[in-house]
Amino acid sequence: MNLDTLLHQFDCNNGLSEIINAICKSSVEIEQLVNRVFLDKTVLISKCIQNSSGDEQHKMDILSNEIMISNLTNSNSCSVLISEENEDAIIVDESHSGNYIVYFDPLDGSSNIDCNCGVGTIFSIILDNDKYKTIENRVLTNGNNIICAGYILYGGSTDMVIAFKGKGVHRLSFDRNTTEYVHTGILDITNKNKKVYSINESNFERWDIDMKHYIRQYRKQESKYTQRWIGSMVSDIHRTLLYGGMFCYPSDENNIHGKLRILYECFPMAFIMEEAGGKAIIAKMSNDR
Ligand code: AHM
Ligand code: MG
């Protein structure tokens, strides 16, 4: 089954399938950049400026962001685009405007790209219900309004994982011969039982007492857990979905609000995890993050 058949099966209409196709098209273009990263190294991984989240931007981040914005705008299905790489929400011009707000991180994990580890594009989509309200009153305040979320992992192969509300999580793999995404499985974490915990344990001394206590349970010999940490969220979540286990990124003394961004990283991954039968929890939440 290819992507079009899947979208048809799920009655993705009113522009939703156009958005997903725009994200797929973007992923194919970003994939080509990722593949060339060492050949055009000086250009693609040159450091540029800090983005709105305070991270250093690579040229790759900027190009991936431009690709996403251009394809999503041309889908004629989005009213607002909210990117990790842009300070402000992008209001799509009336002539191209549609019914949905799309959130995305065009290239998560790009700080790892120099060592050829898997990086990814993360997205989530909500219906833009009331265009007469100001943008501040329309954006996502929790993950419950998400109708579709997913990621594309640019790894050994390029995989798209996509979740629709109430319809589970689907994995599609990019076939470079036919240049199509092909359905390669349904991801259900409930029957995956590898004992893996995934966390950047080098932050241990900076966690609060409860967090230290929680992780010590995994460390105990009798727990039989092993630890894995790629340091690229899309790769770490992908492994967790496929094998089971847990992933977390707690706040610490240096990152008092946590490192991961709630809109671009946490909400979409939590949505996917829950659709796959898993749990997503937030222990503490600051109002300003
Ligand atoms: P990025 O958006 O700048 O790429 O940062 C997010 C990434 C995640 O993919 C990953 O889980 C995390 O940063 C790893 O951070 P660290 O290596 O500092 O633990
Ligand atoms: Mg990111």
Side-chain angles (χ1 to χ4, degrees), residues 112-124:
N112 293 310
I113 208 163
D114 317 43
C115 67
N116 203 5
C117 91
V119 290
T121 301
I122 309 171
F123 64 90
S124 57

Side-chain angles (χ1 to χ4, degrees), residues 162-277:
I162 187 162
F164 297 91
K165 195 163 201 149
K167 291 173 180 160
V169 183
H170 297 263
R171 178 188 188 179
L172 298 108
S173 302
F174 184 60
D175 181 339
R176 287 194 182 120
N177 293 335
T178 59
T179 63
E180 263 193 348
Y181 275 99
V182 180
H183 195 268
T184 45
I186 293 174
L187 301 185
D188 174 2
I189 199 172
T190 56
N191 53 21
K192 309 288 164 48
N193 45 22
K194 265 209 174 160
K195 290 179 170 271
V196 176
Y197 72 105
S198 189
I199 189 166
N200 185 345
E201 229 166 342
S202 70
N203 295 325
F204 189 91
E205 293 304 331
R206 292 186 287 275
W207 294 334
D208 67 21
I209 193 160
D210 294 337
M211 193 63 212
K212 285 180 181 165
H213 175 72
Y214 175 64
I215 291 301
R216 278 198 193 100
Q217 309 307 307
Y218 287 99
R219 285 174 159 191
K220 282 182 182 157
Q221 195 66 35
E222 62 269 25
S223 83
K224 302 219 163 36
Y225 268 80
T226 189
Q227 195 253 14
R228 293 280 183 275
W229 181 252
I230 297 168
S232 179
M233 189 190 197
V234 177
S235 298
D236 281 315
I237 291 282
H238 196 62
R239 183 200 53 250
T240 308
L241 278 170
L242 290 173
Y243 295 169
M246 79 82 160
F247 167 93
C248 76
Y249 208 115
S251 55
D252 59 53
E253 277 170 18
N254 292 350
N255 277 307
I256 52 169
H257 302 303
K259 175 168 182 187
L260 300 178
R261 269 62 45 138
I262 198 134
L263 287 180
Y264 314 106
E265 292 159 347
C266 304
F267 281 161
M269 291 307 193
F271 179 86
I272 296 166
M273 206 39 95
E274 288 182 349
E275 280 296 324

